[in-house]
Amino acid sequence: MKQYNSLSEIRADIANGQVTCRQLVEHYLHNIKEQEKLNAFLETFDEEAYAQADTVDQKLADGSAGKLAGMVIGIKDVLAYKGHSLQASSKILDGFKSLYTATAVERLLAEDAIIIGRQNCDEFAMGGSNENSAFGPALNADDHTRVPGGSSGGSAVAVQADLCLASIGSDTGGSVRQPASFCGIVGLKPTYSRISRFGLIAYASSFDQIGIIAKSVEDAALLLEVMAGNDELDSTVSRREVPVYSQQLAIEEGKKYRIGYIRDCFESEGLDAEVKESILSVKDMLREAGHTVEAVEFPYLDYIVPTYYILTTAEASSNLGRYDGVKYGFRSPNVTDLNSLYKKTRSEGFGEEVKRRIMLGTFVLSADYYDAYYTKAQKVRRLIKEKTDELLQSYDFLILPTAPTTAFKFGENATNPVAVYLEDIFTVQASLAGVPAISIPVGRDSKGLSIGLQLMTRSFEESALLSFSNYILDKITVEA
Ligand code: GLN
């Protein structure tokens, strides 16, 4: 079967009688099996996917099908799906099954999407290489010796290798954008609160946002419009009306935008020369096309990674307190009393990185250090947010690389957690500020590894973000 790059291509073929949903499910399940060593899926839902496919084929035939009919989707192992295992790729949730379905997943199903399986990720979404999964890493399909990025690594590889059409992940500090960049596809982190977090396993609640990984901007727009919007089950979700993003993908003829790029980002140590060159060439292309492109100052670049890690570990240490061996999943078999039950379950159930973060978070929240770290970091977050919002008053978009490098080799950064944290330097600004950001594939380096460009914009202006992304991708294809 041919490789489809968007739902509209699939729908055209369905309409022509060239393909059915059942055949699509067959195709993707076959690919998943054939590419098993990529380790992108932890589990597939074969029978249900076929049953849903038959239902949707029937609905397509009688004209009652929803917006997502024909779309086969994988979900990251942090999204609840009733009756299915849910583990955040952690041993501590061994054997746990969801009692309900995440609102976002519920909405996909209501529009006739087919959920094909549960995808590998870094444990509790902590990481940027998928090396922290209790199930072993997912592999980058372009080069199996390299990481797919993370934490939504399995979700990105699945789309990259045509194991499903789109994936739903989560992005706390770049977990959708960075793996999308490493795998050459589109990754969208919407504005904080745009999509309900009900049924999303919490990592750092004031940052967590469900995100989309797709082959096309068009599909990302469609999935966003289906999942976004008010939800009684999440008190933090935005009540703003949801635009029909998929109908707003064309930019006005002749419209000129103001684009800012943070000068220091391009001068930052650790930015790979080929990544830099590639992003700068997009910047030049935009200038030549008549848009205003200007260097801007952002004085907090050195503070964003420490601020992010203080706040997210603090929130994580609290959120992960619930995994105590009593309520969910795994319980250590070697316990003698209640205290040892807690201790042994947590020591044996969590992986090294998760434990490191729980300890860091507990430390920054401890009475003696609370003000020095946690309170201070909250203040710095405010400064970062205010400055980012201020820049976005003068500029429609900020452009920067998604990641400082292309996909790195397994083990390359494994012994140095700080080096891994610094990989997040370009993605965490949008997360600290809560603004939407997207990664789009703009080229490849001399090793053939893909390079992602990141765009940020004002809160709730996903429509502009998506249409401008589409415009850039079209321009790159035309010029190539
Ligand atoms: N790499 C970042 C971290 O480890 C981002 C993770 C995420 O967005 N879930 O925290």
Side-chain angles (χ1 to χ4, degrees):
M1 185 183 288
K2 78 179 192 208
Q3 265 211 30
Y4 289 102
N5 291 314
S6 67
L7 181 61
S8 59
E9 284 179 13
I10 290 178
R11 286 294 272 269
D13 276 5
I14 290 178
N16 292 334
Q18 283 177 19
V19 75
T20 63
C21 292
R22 175 165 268 273
Q23 287 167 341
L24 286 165
V25 168
E26 212 170 353
H27 162 77
Y28 289 122
L29 286 174
H30 171 82
N31 284 359
I32 295 171
K33 214 143 189 64
E34 198 153 82
Q35 306 265 35
E36 215 165 10
K37 72 162 178 282
L38 294 178
N39 204 16
F41 280 86
L42 300 179
E43 180 189 5
T44 51
F45 309 141
D46 305 29
E47 266 174 45
E48 277 173 88
Y50 278 124
Q52 171 81 342
D54 291 342
T55 309
V56 181
D57 278 328
Q58 191 53 49
K59 286 188 175 181
L60 282 160
D62 66 26
S64 64
K67 277 185 185 180
L68 299 181
M71 187 173 280
V72 177
I73 296 176
I75 55 175
K76 182 178 180 179
D77 190 21
V78 290
L79 286 157
Y81 187 13
K82 189 174 177 177
H84 297 79
S85 296
L86 176 63
Q87 275 189 259
S89 289
S90 178
K91 182 176 166 189
I92 209 156
L93 279 169
D94 252 354
F96 177 73
K97 281 197 171 17
S98 268
L99 302 174
Y100 54 82
T101 300
T103 300
V105 176
E106 203 78 86
R107 290 183 182 170
L108 297 174
L109 291 167
E111 288 294 343
D112 291 332
I114 298 167
I115 310 285
I116 199 159
R118 175 166 73 101
Q119 294 163 330
N120 199 358
C121 59
D122 282 303
E123 186 179 4
F124 284 99
M126 296 176 188
S129 64
N130 216 136
E131 287 167 293
N132 300 334
S133 166
F135 298 96
L139 316 185
N140 192 310
D142 281 339
D143 175 347
H144 295 184
T145 67
R146 290 177 188 274
V147 305
S151 63
S152 315
S155 306
V157 173
V159 175
Q160 174 192 35
D162 200 39
L163 312 183
C164 56
L165 186 67
S167 299
I168 306 303
S170 64
D171 189 312
T172 302
S175 275
V176 153
R177 291 163 283 156
Q178 183 255 24
S181 167
F182 282 10
C183 293
I185 46 188
V186 174
L188 171 70
K189 179 198 89 79
T191 310
Y192 178 75
S193 85
R194 184 66 290 194
I195 299 177
S196 163
R197 289 181 291 118
F198 178 75
L200 168 68
I201 291 187
Y203 158 17
S205 311
S206 76
F207 295 77
D208 295 341
Q209 188 51 207
I210 289 174
I212 297 156
I213 296 177
K215 288 190 190 168
S216 66
V217 170
E218 186 188 320
D219 284 352
L222 193 60
L223 287 164
L224 179 63
E225 99 196 19
V226 168
M227 292 189 290
N230 193 19
D231 176 21
E232 274 176 18
L233 300 170
D234 175 359
S235 61
T236 62
V237 77
S238 168
R239 286 157 190 255
R240 278 180 195 238
E241 211 178 303
V242 180
V244 188
Y245 301 108
S246 62
Q247 304 296 314
Q248 302 177 0
L249 285 174
I251 71 168
E252 236 174 88
E253 190 59 32
K255 170 132 179 134
K256 298 295 174 230
Y257 286 103
R258 294 181 56 78
I259 297 147
Y261 64 95
I262 297 167
R263 193 198 310 273
D264 289 350
C265 283
F266 289 87
E267 273 148 28
S268 86
E269 202 191 311
L271 175 58
D272 175 87
E274 290 185 74
V275 173
K276 177 173 171 177
E277 195 187 318
S278 168
I279 305 300
L280 289 177
S281 77
V282 177
K283 177 183 81 102
D284 294 342
M285 178 189 85
L286 292 171
R287 185 175 282 141
E288 277 157 32
H291 303 284
T292 304
V293 184
E294 287 173 356
V296 299
E297 302 300 327
F298 182 74
Y300 306 120
L301 197 61
D302 289 343
Y303 300 98
I304 57 180
V305 171
T307 305
Y308 170 81
Y309 277 95
I310 289 170
L311 296 176
T312 53
T313 55
E315 294 187 28
S317 72
S318 160
N319 275 327
L320 272 58
R322 71 191 73 175
Y323 306 106
D324 57 4
V326 177
K327 301 190 273 296
Y328 309 92
F330 171 77
R331 176 181 298 172
S332 169
N334 324 308
V335 302
T336 49
D337 56 15
L338 187 62
N339 261 333
S340 83
L341 179 138
Y342 293 149
K343 266 197 190 160
K344 291 211 163 127
T345 297
R346 287 170 69 83
S347 303
E348 294 164 23
F350 287 131
E352 200 181 325
E353 181 60 24
V354 172
K355 283 192 258 193
R356 180 182 294 123
R357 295 196 191 193
I358 292 173
M359 287 191 281
L360 261 172
T362 309
F363 173 75
V364 300
L365 289 175
S366 62
D368 284 348
Y369 295 97
Y370 189 91
D371 281 340
Y373 292 102
Y374 185 73
T375 310
K376 185 71 160 280
Q378 290 285 33
K379 291 180 180 164
V380 180
R381 182 181 194 178
R382 167 58 72 95
L383 293 173
I384 291 167
K385 172 159 180 55
E386 282 174 355
K387 186 68 194 174
T388 305
D389 287 344
E390 182 194 313
L391 288 173
L392 288 168
Q393 287 311 313
S394 316
Y395 297 91
D396 300 303
F397 305 103
L398 296 176
I399 60 169
L400 67 169
T402 305
T405 64
T406 51
F408 48 87
K409 293 220 176 220
F410 283 107
E412 207 168 284
N413 288 323
T415 52
N416 185 353
V418 176
V420 179
Y421 297 168
L422 284 170
E423 275 275 325
D424 299 331
I425 184 154
F426 301 134
T427 45
V428 295
Q429 184 183 352
S431 308
L432 284 158
V435 300
I438 192 168
S439 177
I440 55 172
V442 293
R444 290 189 179 266
D445 70 6
S446 50
K447 296 190 206 79
L449 302 167
S450 68
I451 298 172
L453 167 83
Q454 188 183 191
L455 294 159
M456 280 185 241
T457 194
R458 291 179 279 274
S459 290
F460 299 102
E461 298 206 356
E462 282 85 357
S463 226
L465 192 66
L466 290 160
S467 56
F468 195 59
S469 299
N470 228 7
Y471 163 85
I472 294 178
L473 288 173
D474 282 350
K475 261 188 121 30
I476 290 174
T477 328
V478 171
E479 298 203 353

